[in-house]
């Protein structure tokens, strides 16, 4: 039974941070680590002791994790950044909060002895003979040790301790992946055999000057060696155990939202009955108003979980090739239940959320193509724009003319002119993007248009069919992306205050465009009036765009099951990176990386000198067998990754690529891992260094072909719209939601009131003859009851399957302990 772990976290804000700069303030940012590996870095909030970040991430961690930590730093232009404090959350602490953690937490001081990482490979054996008793410890190797020296490495040695006995290995210099292969032996007295002591193996970084640095320890109860005379394996290094001291709020606090979702995934065959019920709901519904597995799922979906359920369903039906019938089913029910067209899709129903998540799943690349150039221009220009008289700050605007001080009227006129220019560019880009819009989106909108037109056929409701589409297209897709570009991956960082205000005004204007200008002048923000003419002029072109958008043949959308939300030829990610020049004489590291433009699809990773360059070099994705980080000391460069490929002869080839920052590095690592996740020849280990000067910089081994010294992380990815479709994981999510609402479903759909029990039974009992001639009485259930009975039976079968597999896992674990 596979294990699936997803970690959701949001760094909301900080408060009362200490001042680290001479100006009496700080420039704080957060570094997020999972088991001491950096997975995210927030933007820097300049000159602020109460910063707001509002950045959120999802991590898929199939191998699990031990701790999540948030380090708050103060960015310095010159010299090293200052450490403000940290918060560390263990996996157990996060998992104990069933609804997730959402609270203010005080920062604690950073103790180097607690900043440990890595594992050590040991073999311990208790030897007893007539002449002597000894404890033999074979210290084989270690991996991923913390870097303690300025070079980004350490000089590690190991020490074995039991009672007053100790022994040390040799020191291996300049490596985080030492290979000792040494055997240490401690002679014990007979009376020590009965002691309940602990065998401790410590790892230290040797320093010529000053005290040695602690790298971690392993503690093994001596009693274990009585039960298991030979104990061998990889052991995680632990900190000294100093309790983190809460500084009483003197270091400030962070508001964090963290949620852990851990699932054990059954084999596919167990989920098929539930998928069959979900598919049946949309491909052969008897009547739209009849109950189905989908409607029952909506009944037990809470407001908090509705968005997650909607996205999960979208992925399930995308995988089945049935996303258009699925959306049509939900939208038809929603339309039929709406009597006032002004309230159509205004609630956060499952239909509304499903359409919203569907657009994000299949339309994100389209949205990038349409909006990214304009968003980049707005960020680059950083214009001061303001229309609200109450918010105009003459001190914040640049001089518009050389005639003297700038007046409010000049600021307003300049702002109107710039907003009109930006808004015109946005509208023109959208209405000219019919051919760029994914066909599946167009067909879904065509079906929606048809259902709304059938329900609201009156002449006075002529615009409703347009509003239904534009409400999703403009109000729930394009406008939110303009308002917060980072959440839609249009930018790496959040906008500053000035740019954020410009984006807000543009988002408001685009919402009015999506409403076809019908509500202009009715709100409180009358200062937006200068933009009303351009909004009203755009209505005709928007309607024409929507008409063209739905002018598409339904058959153009494939109904073949798929593994990804995008087509193979679609560019998933692109941009400038720096590729290591492997050929020719060895260059200094800074000159060995050349700027190249990269494109990633689900079929190839290609690159060229510029985006317009005619000749491209390509790597087939099917040849990728690992995508991993590279240690900083390999090239004396940060944010380097490696793409390892295997040719037809089985030879491995490595391309080293440098990204501009840690977030870009994580995004590219995640993107390439996702498109190669189904490759069959993925490596279990790799070298985080480079083979230079006749040896690996990581483990110091000379053989270029020696097995990798660190484990690969091929399934560790950032969660976003490009996640590969995984029907088992998605169906497990739906099962959990149904399991929580099982009692509610049983009570509503299967339990018959006592007063109606007798008459109901009389009506529903009939006689039937089986093929073998036996007569039996069958209780006939109503359609809704029949579906509910089947759905509840599927839930119970899955519950029993989980219990069976968990029992087997416990039995296997017990067997391993008893028979090592």
């Amino acid at each position: 039974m596979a294990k699936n772990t997803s970690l959701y976290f949001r760094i909301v804000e900080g408060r009362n941070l200490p001042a680290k700069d001479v100006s009496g303030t700080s420039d704080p940012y957060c570094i997020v680590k999972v088991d001491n590996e950096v997975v995210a870095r927030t933007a820097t909030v300049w000159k602020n002791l109460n910063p707001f970040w509002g950045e959120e991430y999802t991590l898929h961690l199939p191998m699990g994790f031990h701790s999540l930590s948030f380090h708050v730093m103060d960015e310095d232009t010159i010299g090293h950044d200052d450490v403000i404090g940290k918060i560390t959350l263990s996996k157990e602490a996060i998992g104990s909060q069933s609804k997730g953690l959402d609270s203010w937490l005080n920062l604690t001081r950073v103790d180097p002895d607690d900043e440990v990482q890595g594992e050590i490979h040991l073999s311990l054996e208790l030897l007893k003979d007539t002449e002597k008793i000894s404890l033999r410890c074979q210290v084989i190797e270690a991996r991923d040790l913390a870097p303690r020296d300025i070079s980004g490495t350490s000089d590690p040695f190991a020490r074995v301790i039991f009672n007053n006995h100790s022994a040390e290995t040799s020191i291996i210099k300049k490596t985080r992946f030492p290979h000792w292969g040494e055997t240490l032996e401690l002679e014990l007295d007979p009376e020590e055999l009965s002691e309940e002591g602990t065998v401790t193996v410590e790892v230290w970084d040797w320093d010529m000057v000053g005290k040695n640095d602690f790298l971690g320890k392993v503690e093994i109860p001596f009693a274990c060696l009585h039960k298991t005379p030979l104990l061998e394996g990889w052991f995680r290094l632990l900190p000294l155990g100093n309790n983190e001291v809460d500084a009483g709020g003197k270091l400030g606090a962070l508001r964090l939202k963290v949620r852990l979702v851990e699932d054990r995934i059954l084999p596919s065959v167990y989920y098929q009955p539930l998928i069959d019920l979900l598919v049946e709901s949309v491909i052969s519904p008897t009547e739209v108003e009849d109950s189905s597995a989908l409607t029952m799922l909506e009944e037990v979906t809470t407001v908090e979980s509705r968005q997650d359920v909607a996205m999960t369903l979208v992925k399930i039906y995308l995988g089945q090739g049935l996303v258009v019938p699925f959306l049509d089913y939900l939208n038809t029910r929603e339309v039929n239940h709406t009597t006032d067209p002004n309230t159509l899709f205004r609630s956060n129903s499952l239909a509304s959320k499903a359409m919203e998540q569907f657009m994000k799943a299949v339309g994100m690349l389209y949205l990038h193509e349409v909006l990214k150039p304009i968003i980049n221009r707005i960020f680059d220009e950083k214009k001061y724009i303001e229309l609200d008289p109450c918010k105009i700050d003459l001190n914040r605007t640049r001089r518009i003319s050389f005639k003297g001080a700038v007046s409010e009227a000049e600021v307003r006129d300049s702002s109107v002119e710039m907003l009109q220019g930006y808004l015109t560019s946005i509208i023109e880009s959208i209405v000219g993007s019919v051919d760029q819009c994914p066909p599946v989106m167009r067909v879904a909108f065509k079906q929606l248009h048809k259902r709304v037109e059938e329900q609201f056929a009156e002449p006075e409701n002529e615009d409703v069919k347009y509003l239904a589409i534009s409400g999703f297209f403009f109000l729930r897709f394009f406008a939110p992306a303009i308002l917060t570009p980072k959440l839609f991956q249009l930018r790496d960082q959040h906008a500053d205050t000035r740019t954020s205000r410009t984006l807000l005004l543009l988002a408001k204007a685009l919402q009015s465009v999506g409403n076809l200008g019908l509500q202009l002048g009715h709100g409180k923000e009358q200062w937006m009036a200068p933009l009303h003419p351009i909004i009203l002029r755009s209505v005709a072109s928007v309607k024409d765009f929507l008409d063209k958008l739905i002018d598409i043949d339904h058959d153009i959308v494939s109904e073949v099951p798929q593994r990804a939300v995008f087509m193979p030829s679609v560019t998933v990610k692109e941009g400038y990176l720096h590729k290591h020049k492997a050929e020719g004489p060895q260059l200094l590291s800074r000159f060995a990386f050349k700027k190249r433009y990269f494109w990633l699809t689900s079929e190839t990773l290609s690159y060229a000198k510029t985006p317009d360059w005619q000749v491209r070099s390509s790597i087939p994705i099917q040849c990728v067998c690992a995508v991993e980080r590279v240690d900083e000391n390999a090239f004396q460069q940060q944010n380097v990754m490696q793409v390892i490929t295997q040719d037809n002869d089985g030879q491995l080839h490595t391309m080293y690529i440098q990204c501009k920052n840690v977030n870009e590095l994580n995004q590219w690592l995640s993107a390439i891992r996702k498109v190669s996740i189904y490759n069959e020849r993925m490596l279990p280990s790799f070298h985080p260094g480079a083979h230079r000067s006749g040896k690996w910089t990581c483990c110091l081994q000379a053989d270029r072909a020696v097995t990798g010294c660190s484990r690969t992380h091929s399934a560790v990815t950032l969660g976003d719209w490009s996640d590969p479709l995984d029907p088992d994981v998605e169906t497990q999510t739906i099962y959990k939601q149904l399991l929580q609402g099982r009692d509610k479903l049983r009570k509503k759909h299967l339990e018959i009131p006592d007063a109606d029990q007798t008459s109901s039974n009389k009506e529903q009992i009939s006689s039937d003859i089986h093929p073998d001639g036996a007569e039996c009485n069958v209780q006939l259930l109503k359609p809704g009851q029949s579906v509910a009975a089947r759905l509840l039976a599927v839930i119970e079968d899955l519950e029993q399957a989980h219990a069976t597999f968990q029992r087997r896992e416990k039995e296997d674990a017990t067997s391993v302990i008893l028979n090592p």
Side-chain angles (χ1 to χ4, degrees):
M1 188 162 61
K3 190 176 180 181
N4 185 64
T5 303
S6 293
L7 184 62
Y8 305 83
F9 57 90
R10 186 168 194 249
I11 308 117
V12 185
E13 57 187 321
R15 71 181 178 194
N16 302 330
L17 300 182
K20 289 289 185 178
D21 299 337
V22 293
S23 60
T25 184
S26 292
D27 306 311
Y29 66 90
C30 282
I31 290 176
V32 186
K33 297 182 180 182
V34 172
D35 292 343
N36 283 293
E37 181 166 305
V38 178
V39 296
R41 181 202 192 276
T42 69
T44 300
V45 181
W46 301 98
K47 300 186 184 306
N48 200 318
L49 300 180
N50 298 284
F52 178 82
W53 289 288
E55 298 192 21
E56 54 186 294
Y57 301 86
T58 300
L59 278 176
H60 299 309
L61 302 160
M63 300 301 292
F65 70 104
H66 299 286
S67 66
L68 171 70
S69 60
F70 302 84
H71 289 68
V72 182
M73 311 289 291
D74 167 55
E75 183 166 338
D76 287 334
T77 306
I78 300 174
H80 292 289
D81 295 347
D82 300 317
V83 179
I84 294 177
K86 73 165 186 175
I87 293 169
T88 299
L89 301 171
S90 68
K91 178 184 173 184
E92 291 72 26
I94 301 170
S96 66
Q97 305 286 331
S98 59
K99 293 186 177 181
L101 177 75
D102 181 359
S103 63
W104 285 95
L105 299 171
N106 287 340
L107 291 165
T108 61
R109 292 185 177 85
V110 176
D111 182 350
D113 288 342
D114 287 335
E115 304 299 301
V116 304
Q117 64 187 67
E119 300 169 307
I120 187 168
H121 189 186
L122 302 172
S123 172
L124 289 116
E125 186 176 8
L126 185 61
L127 301 174
K128 305 175 189 176
D129 56 37
T130 55
E131 297 182 0
K132 67 175 182 178
I133 301 169
S134 62
L135 173 63
R136 179 179 295 170
C137 178
Q138 186 177 4
V139 185
I140 304 168
E141 59 185 321
R143 61 190 178 197
D144 296 311
L145 298 179
R148 287 287 190 251
D149 299 337
I150 196 169
S151 62
T153 62
S154 290
D155 305 319
F157 68 93
R159 179 185 296 150
V160 182
I161 305 169
F162 180 70
N163 289 345
N164 295 319
H165 309 283
S166 67
E168 294 180 356
T169 67
S170 59
I171 300 166
I172 301 182
K173 294 190 175 182
K174 297 183 185 304
T175 180
R176 295 174 49 237
F177 300 84
H179 284 253
W180 290 288
E182 298 182 24
T183 301
L184 306 178
E185 200 161 306
L186 305 178
E187 288 194 17
L188 307 181
D189 297 326
E191 57 268 21
E192 290 182 288
L193 287 177
S194 60
E195 293 191 17
E196 296 295 321
T198 299
V199 179
T200 303
V201 180
E202 297 176 344
V203 184
W204 292 83
D205 166 51
W206 176 82
D207 283 334
M208 182 178 292
V209 179
K211 66 175 186 177
N212 297 332
D213 300 313
F214 181 71
L215 292 175
K217 68 176 181 179
V218 174
E219 293 182 336
I220 300 169
F222 191 65
C224 290
L225 295 174
H226 286 294
K227 298 176 184 176
T228 309
L230 178 63
L231 195 65
E232 181 182 351
W234 283 94
F235 298 86
R236 186 169 75 96
L237 292 170
L238 301 174
L240 270 177
N242 301 334
N243 292 325
E244 291 185 351
V245 179
D246 187 332
K250 293 180 180 179
L251 298 179
L254 287 185
R255 185 184 170 204
L256 301 172
K257 292 185 178 182
V258 185
R259 182 163 57 95
L260 175 65
V261 177
E262 276 193 301
D263 285 320
R264 295 190 178 275
I265 310 301
L266 299 168
S268 301
V269 64
Y270 289 92
Y271 295 111
Q272 195 58 48
L274 181 52
I275 289 180
D276 290 342
L277 275 174
L278 293 173
V279 168
E280 182 184 300
S281 298
V282 302
I283 63 172
S284 57
T286 52
E287 292 291 339
V288 172
E289 299 306 318
D290 284 348
S291 294
S292 67
L294 266 180
T295 62
M296 293 177 188
L297 173 61
E298 184 170 17
E299 289 172 13
V300 298
T301 301
T302 62
V303 175
E304 295 79 15
S305 64
R306 192 162 294 153
Q307 180 164 305
D308 290 340
V309 169
M311 176 54 93
T312 303
L313 287 172
V314 166
K315 289 186 172 184
I316 287 175
Y317 286 104
L318 272 170
Q320 297 293 319
L322 295 170
V323 72
V324 172
F326 158 65
L327 294 170
D328 185 39
Y329 176 79
L330 291 182
N331 289 338
T332 301
R333 287 180 60 87
E334 182 89 356
V335 170
N336 289 354
H337 290 159
T338 304
T339 55
D340 182 358
N342 294 316
T343 63
L344 184 61
F345 293 114
R346 296 297 183 184
S347 66
N348 286 321
S349 63
L350 186 60
S352 297
K353 285 295 183 183
M355 283 293 289
E356 191 176 315
Q357 298 305 311
F358 161 71
M359 289 188 295
K360 288 182 181 178
V362 305
M364 196 65 80
L365 294 172
Y366 161 61
L367 178 131
H368 281 211
E369 196 172 352
V370 173
L371 286 186
K372 198 163 190 176
I374 305 163
I375 295 296
N376 288 342
R377 179 156 64 94
I378 295 170
F379 270 75
D380 293 341
E381 293 178 355
K382 294 184 178 179
K383 301 286 188 181
Y384 177 71
I385 294 176
E386 186 54 77
L387 295 182
D388 186 351
C390 300
K391 294 185 178 180
I392 291 178
D393 184 354
L394 299 181
N395 294 323
R396 292 180 59 189
T397 182
R398 295 174 183 172
R399 186 179 298 277
I400 296 175
S401 69
F402 295 98
K403 296 179 180 179
V406 179
S407 67
E408 285 192 14
E410 287 178 300
V411 172
R412 207 159 40 244
D413 291 343
S414 172
S415 297
V416 169
E417 183 180 351
M418 287 184 286
L419 283 174
Q420 286 177 337
Y422 289 144
L423 187 59
T424 299
S425 297
I426 291 171
I427 294 171
E428 287 178 352
S429 184
I430 293 174
V431 299
S433 67
V434 172
D435 294 334
Q436 297 161 266
C437 186
V440 69
M441 270 182 75
R442 297 177 63 185
V443 172
F445 283 133
K446 179 178 182 178
Q447 290 296 103
L448 175 59
H449 179 277
K450 176 184 176 184
R451 301 305 180 194
V452 174
E453 193 172 39
E454 290 172 348
Q455 178 72 4
F456 302 102
E458 301 83 4
E460 63 269 21
N461 292 326
E462 173 65 23
D463 285 337
V464 177
K465 59 181 181 288
Y466 292 112
L467 289 167
I469 300 174
S470 65
F472 286 116
F473 205 73
F474 287 91
L475 276 64
R476 294 186 184 233
F477 193 45
F478 280 107
I482 291 171
L483 183 63
T484 51
K486 186 179 187 298
L487 298 185
F488 288 76
Q489 298 176 357
L490 287 164
R491 296 288 296 188
D492 291 334
Q493 306 288 353
H494 283 297
D496 57 28
T497 305
R498 174 177 291 192
T499 305
S500 182
R501 181 62 179 171
T502 301
L503 296 174
L504 174 61
L505 295 172
L506 286 171
K508 287 177 178 287
L510 195 65
Q511 286 179 328
S512 297
V513 172
N515 285 323
L516 305 181
L518 296 178
Q519 298 176 9
L520 290 181
H522 295 152
K524 297 179 181 179
E525 299 171 341
Q526 295 302 316
W527 41 265
M528 290 285 289
L531 295 180
H532 291 179
I534 190 173
I535 293 171
L536 292 172
R537 286 197 301 271
S538 68
V539 170
S541 60
V542 167
K543 285 185 176 180
D544 181 61
F545 163 71
L546 296 176
D547 285 333
K548 292 177 180 177
L549 194 71
I550 62 174
D551 185 15
I552 186 171
D553 186 356
H554 193 291
D555 296 334
I556 198 170
V557 175
S558 170
E559 294 191 358
V560 177
Q562 57 193 77
R563 282 183 167 181
V565 299
F566 41 80
M567 299 303 291
S569 59
V570 171
T571 299
V572 179
K573 191 167 181 60
E574 61 182 299
Y576 276 109
L577 300 170
H578 287 79
K579 175 186 173 295
H580 185 257
K581 183 175 172 28
E583 314 85 26
Q586 289 290 329
L587 302 171
L588 291 173
S589 295
R590 72 174 72 179
F591 302 115
F593 286 87
K594 299 296 181 182
K595 191 175 184 179
R596 295 291 182 265
Y597 197 87
F598 280 77
W599 296 265
L600 175 66
T601 72
S602 59
E603 294 179 335
T604 61
L605 174 65
S606 53
Y607 58 92
K609 285 189 175 181
T610 66
D612 303 322
W613 202 259
Q614 297 299 317
V615 180
R616 295 188 186 183
S617 301
S618 295
I619 298 173
I621 290 298
Q622 63 183 14
C623 295
V624 173
C625 48
V627 190
E628 298 293 336
R629 300 168 188 267
V630 177
D631 269 359
E632 184 177 335
N633 71 305
F635 300 103
Q636 282 70 54
Q637 298 286 326
Q638 294 181 326
N639 307 316
V640 177
M641 67 177 177
Q642 56 183 308
V643 180
I644 306 173
T645 57
Q646 191 172 37
D647 60 26
N648 293 331
D649 297 327
Q651 294 294 314
L652 296 180
H653 305 274
T654 304
M655 178 195 294
Y656 297 101
I657 302 170
Q658 185 180 28
C659 304
K660 64 183 179 184
N661 56 50
V662 69
N663 285 343
E664 185 178 68
L665 171 66
N666 285 325
Q667 289 164 11
W668 275 98
L669 283 170
S670 181
I672 302 174
R673 285 171 180 172
K674 286 178 184 179
V675 296
S676 60
I677 199 167
Y678 294 111
N679 287 4
E680 296 178 353
R681 296 185 292 182
M682 301 304 287
L683 296 177
S685 62
F686 78 107
H687 287 284
H691 197 273
R692 306 177 67 193
S693 303
K695 63 182 179 182
W696 287 101
T697 59
C698 45
C699 57
L700 309 181
Q701 299 294 303
D703 185 1
R704 181 184 287 270
V706 70
T707 302
C709 55
S710 185
R711 289 183 298 178
T712 54
H713 308 81
S714 58
V716 176
T717 57
L718 291 170
D720 59 23
W721 59 272
S722 64
D723 286 350
L725 303 178
D726 190 331
D728 295 341
V729 172
E730 291 143 14
T731 313
Q732 169 68 18
T733 301
I734 299 302
Y735 154 69
K736 284 173 60 180
Q737 191 69 40
L738 289 168
L739 185 64
Q740 292 176 2
R742 175 172 56 181
D743 293 341
K744 181 178 178 180
L745 290 177
R746 184 182 288 120
K747 185 174 182 180
K748 179 176 179 180
H749 294 281
L750 290 188
E751 291 183 5
I752 303 172
D754 294 337
D756 300 332
Q757 186 74 41
T758 306
S759 60
S760 177
N761 284 344
K762 288 179 180 178
E763 293 173 2
Q764 294 183 5
I765 300 296
S766 67
S767 179
D768 196 9
I769 305 295
H770 275 249
D772 61 4
E775 182 176 342
C776 70
N777 290 326
V778 180
Q779 181 170 345
L780 300 179
L781 299 173
K782 297 177 182 178
Q785 290 177 313
S786 175
V787 173
R790 291 168 58 200
L791 184 60
L792 288 166
V794 167
I795 296 170
E796 290 172 9
D797 288 345
L798 283 169
E799 186 179 33
Q800 291 176 6
H802 273 283
T804 300
F805 274 90
Q806 287 175 358
R807 186 171 63 252
R808 289 177 186 170
E809 281 185 351
K810 288 181 180 178
E811 291 171 354
D812 292 343
T814 304
S815 176
V816 169
I817 293 172
L818 296 177
N819 305 289

